[in-house]
Amino acid sequence: MCRAMDAGAIHEALSPKHLRKQLAATVRKIQWSYAIFWSPSTGQPGVLAWSDGYYNGDIKTRKMTQPMELKADQMGLQRSKQLRELYGSLSAGDNNPQSRRPSASLSPEDLTDTEWYYLVCMTFTFAPGQGLPGRAFANNQHIWLNNAPFADSKIFSRSLLAKTLVCIPFAGGVLELGTTEQVLEDPALVKQITSFFREMPDPVGSEKSVSSTQMAENDEDNLCPNLDYDMDGSMAMEEPDPLSDRQPASENDPTHLPFGLGSYAAAAEHARPVQDKVEEPEIVSPDDSSNVYCLTRPREDSFGTDGLNGISRTRNPWLGALNSNEYLPMPCVGAQRVVTSAKKEIISNQMLDGIEEGNCSKHNSLELGGGGSHYAKTVAAILRNSKPVLCFLTISLESSFVVWRRGLRTPKPFTGTPQTLLKMILMDRRRWLHGGHMEKAWRPEGESGGSYLLSERRREKLNEKFVVPRSLFPSISKVDKASILDDTPRYLKQLERRVRELESCRETAELSGRDRRKQHPDVSERTSDNYIHKEITDGRKASANKRKARDMDEAEAEHEHHCVEVSVTMKEKEVLVKMHCPWREYLLLEIVESMSNLHLDPLSVQSSTVDGMLAMTVKSKLRSTTVASPGMIKRSLQRVIGKCL
Amino acid sequence: MPMISSNPPSGGNKAQQQQQQEEMESSTQESPLNPNAFTFDLPHPVYAMAFSPSPFAVASSCSAVAAASPRLALGSFVEEYGNRVDVVAFDEDALAFRPDPALSFDHPYPPTKLMFHPSPLPPLLASASDSLRLWHLGPETAELRSVLDNSKSSGYCAPLTSFDWNDEEPRRIGTSSIDTTCTIWDVERCAIETQLIAHDKEVYDIAWGQAGVFASVSADGSVRIFDLRDKEHSTIVYESPRPDTPLLRLAWNKVDRCYMATTMMDSNRVVVLDIRSPAAPVAELQRHRASVNAIAWAPQASRHICSAGDDGQALIWELAAAAAAGGSSEAAITAALEGIDPILVYTAGAEINQLQWSAAHHDWVGIAFSNKVQLLRV
């Protein structure tokens, strides 16, 4: 108890502002990267928490409110301040998601890795004996960790950025300094550091922020777990091995991690070299007590911290995913790799669960996992809260989805018509909407974008239609559509030519036929002439016979040109006249007139007009006294018909 | 072999995850018995699906269900006049579906799309088939509130392929139709606000970007953005590489309005576009093994998109910021060469025809295949 009070008193003696200045001065003087002062946390008694720090390392993006020249120390202070603000805003983002950081403030992508490390350190707490600060605190001796990346995770479980670390118990807390270079242990340096600290440095213009201390504690509370896992006993309380023999360490594979974390290792995006080997660190032997400096420092025992063990970690039932590469410049913690996005959920969840269940045998690895996961989780927590900056996908524990792998095979390949339902919805709806007029009304163009399934059917019909010409045209030998399309017109042209030829042949045949016919009338004329004479002289029978013969002759050859057909048949005194000619007005009258002129008395007339063609049949009787030859009758009739044509 | 044996969802996570890993490695991917997918069977095929906005404050007749549970409207797909829309609630605690028969109603022709009013009150559901209809899902029954009919003289109205309800201006609904036009309706007045001839061929999908800006895709293979303040002009954001390959679906990222995604006919690719750089897609997501049927952006995350297709898979993709910003990191280069891999996959048993990501409940994705609807937890 009194120890605590003493520690508190000493702590108060160093006002925050003063502390920071001293940190700043110290670090700058020795040209190291950062300084952190861990002090007993007021929120959690017995645990060392981040109290103040100064960052003097690499800076990625410089952001300033005014582009004015600042002295190096001022810039450094400002940077530290900005980092604090960033941390504060990120971790406070939960409470105030709408707040936007001022434009000159930093955003996560502006930081280097070392800065990230520094930032995250703000969340760490150490129980006495745990971690370097804890051990330094517990033993009240400074610890110089050289070659920190190769340190055993038990010794130094935080992210291994700094190559050299020194933890010096001081003023009720632990002063930690780190640098990215390898610095061999130098007891004199330790003394120097502590003596610097004692001095009152020149005031350097900078604001103090008391809130940072509070913030550290608040954040701690925010991140305060529902769970503290039990680490005592298994924690690294053992003495460090003698430093003289540096044994090459056992392999610390990724598979050392509980849940096959290495299987996700491939997805690690950060190009930080991963330490696979663990070597025994060089720990300064406790013998160099002469280097130990302390103010009136009470002797340290391990604090009676029964309730609080282990590193406080966040345990999130929610698991935020970290997205893009930019936002995650995470170094590798020992062999652990931090992976992106959904996998993180599963991993961190696994680690959490594993740690929760906590087999004894796994404690060591858990410590590694624990420390690393603390880092991971912290960054995750920080980044997650910065909603305006990141967008993430929360993936629940009971996700229906599984992580995608290249080698996944679908159960069965899809062989049907693609997008059937979608196409029916979009394109074929006219089919079962009302009627065919729908199609006509609303189809913008003939075929385009038309119904998918309809076109299928159409295609089938078309295919069928192609078969038909093939069967019709014997000359078509080839079967494919293109040749069918070529051959068919060709064949048609051939046919047309043939038809034309045949027609012309027919015409000539007709002509020749007509010539012959023409002779017939002449012949008949002659005969008729003869007949007439004979008739007059001879009796009627003979003439009738001859007439009959002649009639028969006549009857045969009656194909008049130009669709005018006249046939006259005589049988004794009866004359049958058949006519087929283009109709015109009064034609009938004229014909009858001419027949009477020819001494034919019409007995009956049958006529019909079809398509402008007159078909007439006249039965008439020859007057007794006169004799007319059929040829004569025909000629005169033709004359009549042809009169007004 | 089922993906996950009968583990209760809440406990034994580690074992479950481990088992998942093992089973993944043995690459047996049938998951009809996935306990984290909840199936609802219907007597008919389903196409249209809509999630209700949250919270659905209207108490229904069988409201043992908490008001904040996801509620689904499911439209049937039967190739005739008589179709049906069912309203189903999903109890997140009991992890079971509770159909609400009182709110189910008959619908003329299969609805091509269903969508709830962006705000929970009034509880309106819009559906599109031959024309746009608004239904009021009252406490006891559902009733037809209005029919927004585009018919003029002929009495026939061109079938609607899709529509979208404007989130920022809920009075506006934009519809797309096969008569190459897009119609903007004022829902409160039940009148046409404006009508545009959007494309040369049928318009297949429409999506709002802002209160007065929408985009549409068409059978002519182009994605065009229209601004209602300047109706004369439209911006072509993308054209399909093979000319006249119809673009079938469009989704506009509601979180980051720069991005939209589209799918093509008979294509297994999802094309992601940045409207600030037209004509050059940000990414072409090509891991589906068959054509893609539906896409949905994550409602809360700006870089995640889900797609589902005929291969029966629903894939969730993450678009790296580096790719979008044109970064030259290794990851971006790999992505450019080989295409981005999805991060998550779910395998259903049959072709997935519909996919909706609930805006109200970010961890639920609904898919529809054959006669089933499944809710998948992300």
Side-chain angles (χ1 to χ4, degrees), chain B residues 2-25:
Chain B
M3 164 67 66
I4 299 171
S5 61
S6 56
N7 279 338
S10 50
N13 293 325
K14 169 193 162 204
Q16 191 182 31
Q17 303 284 358
Q18 259 186 340
Q19 204 170 2
Q20 260 185 6
Q21 286 179 53
E22 291 161 8
E23 311 223 16
M24 274 187 327
E25 271 138 32

Side-chain angles (χ1 to χ4, degrees), chain B residues 227-290:
Chain B
D227 191 330
L228 291 179
R229 294 164 296 194
D230 180 13
K231 296 171 200 171
E232 303 296 317
H233 304 103
S234 62
T235 315
I236 297 186
V237 175
Y238 176 75
E239 279 184 298
S240 53
R242 272 171 296 131
D244 280 354
T245 310
L247 297 177
L248 294 184
R249 296 278 95 180
L250 176 71
W252 203 322
N253 190 335
K254 301 270 187 242
V255 178
D256 187 345
R257 301 282 175 170
C258 299
Y259 296 103
M260 53 171 76
T262 179
T263 63
M264 289 192 279
M265 183 159 91
D266 295 337
S267 164
N268 69 334
R269 278 183 291 159
V270 177
V271 180
V272 180
L273 308 166
D274 185 336
I275 62 176
R276 299 165 295 194
S277 61
V282 164
E284 294 196 1
L285 311 175
Q286 312 187 36
R287 294 287 183 261
H288 275 284
R289 293 162 205 259

Side-chain angles (χ1 to χ4, degrees), chain B residues 138-221:
Chain B
E140 294 304 314
T141 90
E143 56 182 18
L144 180 61
R145 164 81 58 93
S146 43
V147 178
L148 303 177
D149 206 339
N150 206 357
S151 63
K152 289 161 195 165
S153 57
S154 58
Y156 303 114
C157 135
L160 302 177
T161 53
S162 181
F163 70 94
D164 193 17
W165 215 319
N166 195 326
D167 287 337
E168 302 179 14
E169 184 63 69
R171 293 167 53 132
R172 281 196 180 133
I173 292 186
T175 66
S176 60
S177 163
I178 60 167
D179 66 351
T180 79
T181 65
C182 288
T183 309
I184 314 297
W185 290 91
D186 182 331
V187 165
E188 292 181 13
R189 289 187 302 127
C190 291
I192 294 182
E193 194 180 309
T194 183
Q195 197 167 21
L196 303 170
I197 296 181
H199 288 265
D200 305 324
K201 296 188 185 173
E202 299 92 330
V203 190
Y204 286 139
D205 207 353
I206 181 174
W208 287 102
Q210 300 168 26
V213 175
F214 69 89
S216 60
V217 288
S218 156
D220 65 5

Side-chain angles (χ1 to χ4, degrees), chain A residues 323 400 408 419 423 429, chain B residues 36 129 160 266 289 310 318:
Chain A
N323 249 357
S400 319
L408 286 182
Q419 299 174 329
K423 284 173 185 162
R429 303 174 51 237
Chain B
N36 289 322
S129 58
L160 302 177
D266 295 337
R289 293 162 205 259
D310 281 341
E318 174 189 52

Side-chain angles (χ1 to χ4, degrees), chain A residues 626-642:
Chain A
T626 59
V627 170
S629 71
M632 217 165 59
I633 298 169
K634 186 180 160 196
R635 265 201 307 275
S636 55
L637 284 174
Q638 278 170 351
R639 228 180 296 128
V640 166
I641 292 167

